[in-house]
mmCIF file of all heavy atoms in Angstrom:
data_model
loop_
_atom_site.group_PDB
_atom_site.id
_atom_site.type_symbol
_atom_site.label_atom_id
_atom_site.label_comp_id
_atom_site.label_asym_id
_atom_site.label_seq_id
_atom_site.Cartn_x
_atom_site.Cartn_y
_atom_site.Cartn_z
ATOM 1 N N ASN V 814 18.667 -19.133 31.619
ATOM 2 C CA ASN V 814 19.096 -20.354 32.305
ATOM 3 C C ASN V 814 18.557 -21.612 31.637
ATOM 4 O O ASN V 814 18.659 -22.706 32.194
ATOM 5 C CB ASN V 814 18.646 -20.295 33.761
ATOM 6 C CG ASN V 814 19.142 -19.045 34.449
ATOM 7 O OD1 ASN V 814 20.327 -18.763 34.442
ATOM 8 N ND2 ASN V 814 18.228 -18.286 35.035
ATOM 9 N N GLY V 815 17.996 -21.441 30.443
ATOM 10 C CA GLY V 815 17.525 -22.596 29.687
ATOM 11 C C GLY V 815 16.209 -23.168 30.149
ATOM 12 O O GLY V 815 15.928 -24.347 29.910
ATOM 13 N N CYS V 816 15.384 -22.348 30.831
ATOM 14 C CA CYS V 816 14.122 -22.857 31.356
ATOM 15 C C CYS V 816 12.951 -22.658 30.394
ATOM 16 O O CYS V 816 11.804 -22.876 30.773
ATOM 17 C CB CYS V 816 13.802 -22.196 32.696
ATOM 18 S SG CYS V 816 15.011 -22.593 33.996
ATOM 19 N N GLY V 817 13.205 -22.232 29.170
ATOM 20 C CA GLY V 817 12.132 -22.144 28.186
ATOM 21 C C GLY V 817 12.081 -20.805 27.482
ATOM 22 O O GLY V 817 12.676 -19.810 27.924
ATOM 23 N N THR V 818 11.348 -20.785 26.341
ATOM 24 C CA THR V 818 11.205 -19.579 25.531
ATOM 25 C C THR V 818 9.733 -19.353 25.225
ATOM 26 O O THR V 818 9.017 -20.267 24.801
ATOM 27 C CB THR V 818 11.982 -19.708 24.215
ATOM 28 O OG1 THR V 818 13.370 -19.928 24.499
ATOM 29 C CG2 THR V 818 11.861 -18.442 23.373
ATOM 30 N N ALA V 819 9.268 -18.130 25.469
ATOM 31 C CA ALA V 819 7.905 -17.737 25.131
ATOM 32 C C ALA V 819 7.924 -16.980 23.812
ATOM 33 O O ALA V 819 8.860 -16.201 23.543
ATOM 34 C CB ALA V 819 7.313 -16.867 26.235
ATOM 35 N N THR V 820 6.916 -17.207 22.955
ATOM 36 C CA THR V 820 6.877 -16.563 21.636
ATOM 37 C C THR V 820 5.511 -15.930 21.403
ATOM 38 O O THR V 820 4.504 -16.348 21.980
ATOM 39 C CB THR V 820 7.172 -17.572 20.514
ATOM 40 O OG1 THR V 820 6.158 -18.579 20.515
ATOM 41 C CG2 THR V 820 8.523 -18.227 20.721
ATOM 42 N N ASN V 821 5.501 -14.937 20.536
ATOM 43 C CA ASN V 821 4.263 -14.296 20.107
ATOM 44 C C ASN V 821 4.542 -13.539 18.814
ATOM 45 O O ASN V 821 5.698 -13.232 18.514
ATOM 46 C CB ASN V 821 3.734 -13.337 21.177
ATOM 47 C CG ASN V 821 2.241 -13.157 21.092
ATOM 48 O OD1 ASN V 821 1.624 -13.414 20.055
ATOM 49 N ND2 ASN V 821 1.649 -12.715 22.193
ATOM 50 N N GLU V 822 3.500 -13.266 18.050
ATOM 51 C CA GLU V 822 3.645 -12.525 16.813
ATOM 52 C C GLU V 822 3.121 -11.105 16.994
ATOM 53 O O GLU V 822 2.180 -10.875 17.751
ATOM 54 C CB GLU V 822 2.881 -13.207 15.670
ATOM 55 C CG GLU V 822 3.504 -14.504 15.199
ATOM 56 C CD GLU V 822 2.752 -15.088 14.018
ATOM 57 O OE1 GLU V 822 1.611 -14.633 13.769
ATOM 58 O OE2 GLU V 822 3.297 -15.972 13.345
ATOM 59 N N VAL V 823 3.747 -10.179 16.305
ATOM 60 C CA VAL V 823 3.295 -8.802 16.346
ATOM 61 C C VAL V 823 3.472 -8.204 14.954
ATOM 62 O O VAL V 823 4.392 -8.590 14.212
ATOM 63 C CB VAL V 823 4.062 -7.985 17.402
ATOM 64 C CG1 VAL V 823 5.528 -7.828 17.028
ATOM 65 C CG2 VAL V 823 3.422 -6.620 17.598
ATOM 66 N N TYR V 824 2.583 -7.276 14.596
ATOM 67 C CA TYR V 824 2.626 -6.639 13.283
ATOM 68 C C TYR V 824 2.710 -5.136 13.466
ATOM 69 O O TYR V 824 1.905 -4.540 14.192
ATOM 70 C CB TYR V 824 1.378 -6.999 12.470
ATOM 71 C CG TYR V 824 1.255 -8.477 12.209
ATOM 72 C CD1 TYR V 824 0.594 -9.311 13.117
ATOM 73 C CD2 TYR V 824 1.815 -9.045 11.074
ATOM 74 C CE1 TYR V 824 0.491 -10.670 12.891
ATOM 75 C CE2 TYR V 824 1.709 -10.414 10.835
ATOM 76 C CZ TYR V 824 1.044 -11.215 11.748
ATOM 77 O OH TYR V 824 0.953 -12.555 11.514
ATOM 78 N N LEU V 825 3.698 -4.558 12.824
ATOM 79 C CA LEU V 825 3.842 -3.108 12.810
ATOM 80 C C LEU V 825 3.171 -2.589 11.547
ATOM 81 O O LEU V 825 3.591 -2.902 10.435
ATOM 82 C CB LEU V 825 5.322 -2.717 12.840
ATOM 83 C CG LEU V 825 6.110 -3.214 14.059
ATOM 84 C CD1 LEU V 825 7.562 -2.757 13.972
ATOM 85 C CD2 LEU V 825 5.489 -2.714 15.358
ATOM 86 N N LEU V 826 2.074 -1.825 11.733
ATOM 87 C CA LEU V 826 1.258 -1.402 10.611
ATOM 88 C C LEU V 826 1.859 -0.203 9.881
ATOM 89 O O LEU V 826 2.556 0.625 10.473
ATOM 90 C CB LEU V 826 -0.145 -1.048 11.098
ATOM 91 C CG LEU V 826 -0.909 -2.161 11.835
ATOM 92 C CD1 LEU V 826 -2.302 -1.687 12.160
ATOM 93 C CD2 LEU V 826 -0.922 -3.443 11.029
ATOM 94 N N MET V 827 1.592 -0.138 8.616
ATOM 95 C CA MET V 827 1.976 0.999 7.777
ATOM 96 C C MET V 827 0.993 1.070 6.617
ATOM 97 O O MET V 827 0.298 0.097 6.320
ATOM 98 C CB MET V 827 3.426 0.844 7.284
ATOM 99 C CG MET V 827 3.993 2.067 6.591
ATOM 100 S SD MET V 827 3.784 3.559 7.600
ATOM 101 C CE MET V 827 4.384 4.808 6.478
ATOM 102 N N PHE V 828 0.907 2.202 5.960
ATOM 103 C CA PHE V 828 -0.032 2.380 4.869
ATOM 104 C C PHE V 828 0.713 2.864 3.619
ATOM 105 O O PHE V 828 1.717 3.564 3.723
ATOM 106 C CB PHE V 828 -1.122 3.386 5.259
ATOM 107 C CG PHE V 828 -0.595 4.766 5.511
ATOM 108 C CD1 PHE V 828 -0.588 5.727 4.491
ATOM 109 C CD2 PHE V 828 -0.112 5.126 6.757
ATOM 110 C CE1 PHE V 828 -0.104 7.003 4.721
ATOM 111 C CE2 PHE V 828 0.379 6.401 6.988
ATOM 112 C CZ PHE V 828 0.395 7.351 5.968
ATOM 113 N N PRO V 829 0.220 2.500 2.453
ATOM 114 C CA PRO V 829 0.807 3.039 1.218
ATOM 115 C C PRO V 829 0.532 4.540 1.129
ATOM 116 O O PRO V 829 -0.591 4.986 1.384
ATOM 117 C CB PRO V 829 0.094 2.271 0.109
ATOM 118 C CG PRO V 829 -0.516 1.081 0.781
ATOM 119 C CD PRO V 829 -0.828 1.502 2.174
ATOM 120 N N ARG V 830 1.499 5.301 0.765
ATOM 121 C CA ARG V 830 1.333 6.747 0.667
ATOM 122 C C ARG V 830 0.623 7.148 -0.631
ATOM 123 O O ARG V 830 0.152 8.284 -0.765
ATOM 124 C CB ARG V 830 2.677 7.445 0.788
ATOM 125 C CG ARG V 830 3.342 7.151 2.141
ATOM 126 C CD ARG V 830 4.588 7.971 2.350
ATOM 127 N NE ARG V 830 5.253 7.609 3.600
ATOM 128 C CZ ARG V 830 4.915 8.063 4.800
ATOM 129 N NH1 ARG V 830 3.880 8.880 4.914
ATOM 130 N NH2 ARG V 830 5.577 7.696 5.882
ATOM 131 N N PHE V 831 0.577 6.194 -1.548
ATOM 132 C CA PHE V 831 -0.207 6.433 -2.765
ATOM 133 C C PHE V 831 -0.558 5.089 -3.379
ATOM 134 O O PHE V 831 0.038 4.060 -3.040
ATOM 135 C CB PHE V 831 0.583 7.290 -3.764
ATOM 136 C CG PHE V 831 1.758 6.582 -4.366
ATOM 137 C CD1 PHE V 831 1.637 5.869 -5.558
ATOM 138 C CD2 PHE V 831 2.994 6.602 -3.726
ATOM 139 C CE1 PHE V 831 2.722 5.209 -6.113
ATOM 140 C CE2 PHE V 831 4.085 5.939 -4.281
ATOM 141 C CZ PHE V 831 3.944 5.233 -5.463
ATOM 142 N N PHE V 832 -1.570 5.101 -4.292
ATOM 143 C CA PHE V 832 -1.839 3.925 -5.096
ATOM 144 C C PHE V 832 -2.369 4.367 -6.459
ATOM 145 O O PHE V 832 -2.826 5.514 -6.636
ATOM 146 C CB PHE V 832 -2.784 2.967 -4.374
ATOM 147 C CG PHE V 832 -4.241 3.361 -4.394
ATOM 148 C CD1 PHE V 832 -5.190 2.551 -5.021
ATOM 149 C CD2 PHE V 832 -4.676 4.538 -3.787
ATOM 150 C CE1 PHE V 832 -6.534 2.904 -5.028
ATOM 151 C CE2 PHE V 832 -6.009 4.872 -3.776
ATOM 152 C CZ PHE V 832 -6.949 4.066 -4.398
ATOM 153 N N THR V 833 -2.258 3.459 -7.432
ATOM 154 C CA THR V 833 -2.588 3.776 -8.832
ATOM 155 C C THR V 833 -3.530 2.708 -9.380
ATOM 156 O O THR V 833 -3.090 1.730 -9.993
ATOM 157 C CB THR V 833 -1.308 3.846 -9.678
ATOM 158 O OG1 THR V 833 -0.626 2.601 -9.571
ATOM 159 C CG2 THR V 833 -0.402 4.968 -9.224
ATOM 160 N N PRO V 834 -4.842 2.874 -9.190
ATOM 161 C CA PRO V 834 -5.799 1.863 -9.634
ATOM 162 C C PRO V 834 -6.067 1.944 -11.148
ATOM 163 O O PRO V 834 -7.162 2.336 -11.594
ATOM 164 C CB PRO V 834 -7.043 2.220 -8.822
ATOM 165 C CG PRO V 834 -6.950 3.691 -8.603
ATOM 166 C CD PRO V 834 -5.502 4.006 -8.481
ATOM 167 N N ASN V 835 -5.055 1.560 -11.929
ATOM 168 C CA ASN V 835 -5.191 1.629 -13.380
ATOM 169 C C ASN V 835 -5.244 0.253 -14.038
ATOM 170 O O ASN V 835 -5.194 0.148 -15.272
ATOM 171 C CB ASN V 835 -4.051 2.450 -13.982
ATOM 172 C CG ASN V 835 -2.686 1.931 -13.542
ATOM 173 O OD1 ASN V 835 -2.575 0.803 -13.066
ATOM 174 N ND2 ASN V 835 -1.652 2.768 -13.683
ATOM 175 N N GLY V 836 -5.324 -0.803 -13.236
ATOM 176 C CA GLY V 836 -5.473 -2.139 -13.771
ATOM 177 C C GLY V 836 -4.214 -2.774 -14.318
ATOM 178 O O GLY V 836 -4.281 -3.833 -14.955
ATOM 179 N N ASP V 837 -3.051 -2.181 -14.014
ATOM 180 C CA ASP V 837 -1.806 -2.770 -14.523
ATOM 181 C C ASP V 837 -1.247 -3.839 -13.590
ATOM 182 O O ASP V 837 -0.184 -4.406 -13.844
ATOM 183 C CB ASP V 837 -0.765 -1.692 -14.783
ATOM 184 C CG ASP V 837 -0.339 -0.962 -13.513
ATOM 185 O OD1 ASP V 837 -0.902 -1.266 -12.419
ATOM 186 O OD2 ASP V 837 0.551 -0.085 -13.586
ATOM 187 N N GLY V 838 -1.916 -4.103 -12.488
ATOM 188 C CA GLY V 838 -1.457 -5.125 -11.557
ATOM 189 C C GLY V 838 -0.494 -4.619 -10.505
ATOM 190 O O GLY V 838 -0.054 -5.398 -9.665
#
């Protein structure tokens, strides 16, 4: 009815299934 909007932020977490620490960036 146009009486206002409430907002909030939310983060959906996830993890890398692998990583390669070889210094290539």
Side-chain angles (χ1 to χ4, degrees):
N814 305 306
C816 296
T818 301
T820 62
N821 206 339
E822 289 183 345
V823 67
Y824 298 89
L825 300 180
L826 302 184
M827 189 52 185
F828 64 94
R830 299 187 184 278
F831 69 91
F832 78 117
T833 58
N835 54 17
D837 64 357

